[in-house]
Amino acid sequence: MLFLFFDSPIHSPRSMTDRTDKPWAGRFSEPTDAFVEAFTASVNFDRRLAPEDIEGSIAHARMLHRIGVLNEAELGAILDGLQALRGEIEHGAFPWSVALEDVHMNIEARLVERIGEAGKKLHTGRSRNDQVATDLRLYLRRQIDAVCAEIRRLQWGLLELAEREADTIMPGFTHLQVAQPVTFGHHMMAWFEMLDRDHERLVDCRRRVNVCPLGSAALAGTTYPIDRHYTAAELGFDRPSRNSLDAVSDRDFAIEFAAAAALLMMHLSRFAEELVLWMSAPFGFVRLPDRFCTGSSIMPQKKNPDVPELVRGKAGRAYGNLIALLTLMKSQPLAYNKDNQEDKEPLFDTVDTLRGCLRAFADMMPAVTVDRERMYAAAAQGFSTATDLADYLVRKGVAFRDAHEVVGKAVALAEATGRRLDELGLDELRGLSRHIGEDVYETLTLEGSVAARNHWGATAPEQVRAQIAAARRRLQRVERPPGGP
Ligand code: ARG
């Protein structure tokens, strides 16, 4: 739907002489310079806001009728006209004109063209300044809802995968060196938690997005007895904004969204990086079906993880867009300035980036398969149960610092002789500490190691299953899974 707008041709201003009269041309004595016209126009990108612009105009027209500015017939004509424009836009038949600068003036001019006099009354008591702020908030609210739904879809995928692999053992890393064994389910639930906070941030941001600037007019409000509470309610906003100067000029809500998006993309880039590593031959932990990969034009054997790589790279866009928005607002005096027109492209790009990356990940998750043997073998390397041996000694009454020393020697011995810790003989181990007994071998196994970390938030399969169940209940309490249980 969204992308439809890009398919309809932008009409050259010069070929549309009947539609080039600018609504604000009254006080001007010469036409706009052709380059300036193109330079200042935003219709090439802001026509994406057409659905919201029409929505806002419908609410505004209803309000004008309520307060007696429009009569019944005029309201009817405006509503029918706007409905028709909606159809034209959806079918790519709308005659967009650069000469008409932006989405707002294009729609208004086209309305007048279609319905005549009544159309000229629509702009009573409003300005493009409150109009664009309203459109942007309507747009962002809708996009936040779509992004949140996609986060949830990805989270449901992670829950499935975590459940399937709750017992699967993999190496846990610090410094990308094997540290301690963990369960794959636990690792997936780490991603689940990060996404949960991302979701929360967006829901919180939505509360501040969902405020209606309409009626602030150019900057000071209007002389008509408008009913701002009515318009706000019509558009599903929580309330009208409280200060007209603030409402037409600030874009902090968009910056907040861009910040939440940048964080989300940071998370996805970490996730992506792990997938890239795990899919490489030296790791070989996971596989992705061919449909998510591409080949090399020169090396026939290659199967590249392009999707995660691209997601990793696209984080840069989200960061850049955040900085662009922050910078365009910086030092702006009140109230509206044309600088604000520059808010749209970064915002749209962030929305597209986010939705694309989330969609790719959500689609990919159910298709991920893991190589349990490879992960197990990798976890068995790097003396990953060394901490367990130290904890064992502490349980036998040795102070932790002394235990640490003993285990350090055991690791050195194993390393020097090319063995794992559980391959050291009982005599050898007892030679390092007389507290070590036959039962030490249980603690040195990977299964024993993960099962022993059996408390809230830890990696034991039992705990992971409990977290998965709790997460399912949490998600179900507020939303139903997409076609899920
Ligand atoms: N295209 C403009 C924007 O996106 C709409 C508001 C224009 N207002 C004005 N006073 N020129 O910001």
Side-chain angles (χ1 to χ4, degrees):
M1 241 281 275
L2 275 179
F3 301 104
L4 261 181
F5 301 119
F6 298 107
D7 299 335
S8 47
I10 287 276
H11 287 239
S12 137
R14 299 297 168 226
S15 68
M16 300 211 51
T17 44
D18 54 329
R19 303 188 71 244
T20 54
D21 285 345
K22 312 230 186 303
W24 43 253
R27 60 102 67 212
F28 284 75
S29 54
E30 61 173 356
T32 320
D33 176 87
F35 171 72
V36 170
E37 184 171 274
F39 186 71
T40 53
S42 55
V43 65
N44 277 318
F45 49 86
D46 70 12
R47 59 193 172 135
R48 192 195 274 229
L49 296 174
E52 287 78 15
D53 198 70
I54 290 174
E55 219 178 310
S57 287
I58 289 173
H60 183 67
R62 289 215 165 99
M63 187 277 291
L64 290 179
H65 171 249
R66 238 172 103 85
I67 64 165
V69 170
L70 295 177
N71 64 34
E72 198 71 34
E74 289 164 335
L75 174 65
I78 289 174
L79 295 184
D80 289 349
L82 288 171
Q83 200 52 43
L85 299 198
R86 202 178 251 161
E88 283 188 356
I89 292 165
E90 276 170 18
H91 295 107
F94 189 93
W96 296 105
S97 157
V98 173
L100 287 168
E101 207 175 309
D102 57 23
V103 62
H104 323 292
M105 295 206 294
N106 264 271
I107 288 179
E108 194 189 327
R110 181 73 180 148
L111 183 69
V112 173
E113 211 168 74
R114 285 190 69 126
I115 70 166
E117 285 305 304
K120 293 186 186 168
K121 296 192 173 180
L122 175 61
H123 210 53
T124 313
R126 78 173 180 187
S127 146
R128 278 184 295 153
N129 296 352
D130 59 343
Q131 199 178 344
V132 69
T134 304
D135 291 2
L136 214 53
R137 286 171 180 270
L138 285 171
Y139 166 81
L140 199 52
R141 182 178 76 187
R142 185 166 285 154
Q143 294 302 325
I144 287 175
D145 291 345
V147 168
C148 283
E150 208 64 330
I151 293 177
R152 288 305 195 217
R153 191 162 74 88
L154 172 52
Q155 285 185 296
W156 280 106
L158 282 167
L159 286 177
E160 298 267 303
L161 191 55
E163 187 143 69
R164 209 187 327 137
E165 309 295 338
D167 294 294
T168 303
I169 288 174
M170 69 177 291
F173 299 91
T174 60
H175 312 269
L176 202 57
Q177 310 290 318
V178 173
Q180 290 171 356
V182 295
T183 49
F184 192 83
H186 192 51
H187 199 121
M188 290 304 104
M189 290 305 285
W191 292 119
F192 179 93
E193 288 296 322
M194 291 176 228
L195 290 165
D196 226 36
R197 291 194 295 279
D198 289 323
H199 189 275
E200 211 172 283
R201 265 185 284 274
L202 286 167
V203 168
D204 192 53
C205 166
R206 191 190 193 280
R207 291 194 303 127
R208 282 175 294 278
V209 168
N210 206 26
V211 172
C212 188
L214 204 57
S216 302
L219 73 164
T222 174
T223 55
Y224 300 94
I226 56 172
D227 185 345
R228 296 195 56 211
H229 288 88
Y230 172 84
T231 337
E234 274 287 291
L235 292 169
F237 284 115
D238 293 333
R239 61 177 174 85
S241 56
R242 289 187 286 253
N243 183 293
S244 60
L245 293 166
D246 170 44
V248 292
S249 63
D250 205 356
R251 295 291 182 265
D252 60 351
F253 64 94
I255 297 176
E256 255 190 77
F257 170 79
L263 272 174
L264 209 173
M265 284 304 298
M266 178 274 289
H267 284 153
L268 288 186
S269 79
R270 298 180 67 195
F271 197 172
E273 169 72 359
E274 294 206 323
L275 288 181
V276 171
L277 281 174
W278 294 351
M279 285 172 69
S280 71
F283 278 83
F285 288 2
V286 301
R287 276 181 301 269
L288 262 187
D290 289 354
R291 65 179 182 279
F292 293 107
C293 303
T294 60
S296 157
S297 53
I298 177 163
M299 297 166 283
Q301 85 284 10
K302 291 296 288 289
K303 178 172 152 182
N304 297 326
D306 291 42
V307 173
E309 286 175 285
L310 267 177
V311 171
R312 189 174 62 182
K314 281 178 189 288
R317 282 176 184 258
Y319 294 7
N321 292 335
L322 169 61
I323 296 298
L325 289 172
L326 277 168
T327 311
L328 90 82
M329 272 319 297
K330 181 189 171 293
S331 313
Q332 266 196 51
L334 295 182
Y336 176 88
N337 299 287
K338 187 77 168 180
D339 313 40
N340 283 2
Q341 183 166 288
E342 284 290 301
D343 61 359
K344 288 163 204 67
E345 286 162 296
L347 189 63
F348 295 161
D349 186 65
T350 287
V351 165
D352 292 345
T353 302
L354 212 52
R355 291 189 63 177
C357 294
L358 282 166
R359 186 195 160 151
F361 260 78
D363 284 353
M364 239 164 23
M365 246 353 83
V368 170
T369 51
V370 311
D371 189 328
R372 294 178 185 157
E373 287 73 37
R374 297 267 319 195
M375 287 200 285
Y376 191 90
Q381 280 161 13
F383 313 107
S384 64
T385 55
T387 317
D388 297 81
L389 179 54
D391 292 342
Y392 168 88
L393 286 166
V394 169
R395 283 200 298 278
K396 301 280 178 182
V398 180
F400 184 77
R401 271 294 148 231
D402 297 333
H404 192 283
E405 171 90 19
V406 169
V407 178
K409 287 186 174 138
V411 167
L413 174 63
E415 192 164 39
T417 53
R419 288 175 295 171
R420 299 192 310 260
L421 282 179
D422 62 343
E423 288 170 336
L424 296 179
L426 189 57
D427 295 347
E428 287 172 298
L429 287 169
R430 286 183 66 86
L432 297 171
S433 167
R434 60 183 173 79
H435 294 95
I436 295 178
E438 184 70 62
D439 59 348
V440 73
Y441 290 104
E442 289 154 37
T443 47
L444 293 180
T445 65
L446 300 177
E447 290 79 359
S449 173
V450 294
R453 285 165 174 77
N454 195 16
H455 58 77
W456 179 262
T459 203
E462 192 185 327
Q463 294 297 332
V464 172
R465 289 210 169 81
Q467 292 292 350
I468 295 170
R472 280 189 192 282
R473 282 195 300 275
R474 246 167 27 233
L475 291 200
Q476 260 154 349
R477 210 180 308 139
V478 269
E479 307 127 74
R480 286 162 52 77

